[in-house]
Amino acid sequence: MMIKQWFHSYSKDEKSKILKDKILKTRIKLIQAINNNNREKMNELLAIYEELVIEFENL
C-alpha cells in the first residue's frame, strides 16, 4: 500500500492518528457503497479497510 512508502518517518502517535482518520474515511465510503448496493466498490473498500486495521494493530 502507498502508505508504507512515507509512513516510517512519523512517530507512533502520528501514525495512529493518520490510520484512525483513514480507517474512518474508508468506513464511511464502505457504508455508502453498501447503501448503494455497489458490490465492486464494497469489495475494494473492504480490502483497504482490512489492510488499514491490520496496519493499525501492528503499531
Side-chain angles (χ1 to χ4, degrees), residues 3-59:
I3 198 167
K4 293 177 183 176
Q5 293 177 353
W6 50 266
F7 207 54
H8 67 281
S9 61
Y10 290 101
S11 72
K12 188 174 181 177
D13 289 337
E14 290 172 321
K15 289 178 187 179
S16 175
K17 289 177 187 176
I18 291 168
L19 282 172
K20 284 180 183 179
D21 185 53
K22 288 190 177 296
I23 289 170
L24 177 62
K25 288 178 181 179
T26 304
R27 186 183 311 141
I28 291 168
K29 290 178 184 178
L30 180 58
I31 291 169
Q32 290 171 345
I34 291 168
N35 288 337
N36 294 332
N37 203 23
N38 186 343
R39 294 205 183 275
E40 185 177 311
K41 192 70 171 173
M42 285 176 3
N43 291 335
E44 176 187 334
L45 289 167
L46 186 57
I48 293 170
Y49 184 80
E50 289 173 346
E51 192 171 335
L52 289 169
V53 169
I54 290 169
E55 187 75 30
F56 182 77
E57 289 175 347
N58 290 329
L59 281 181

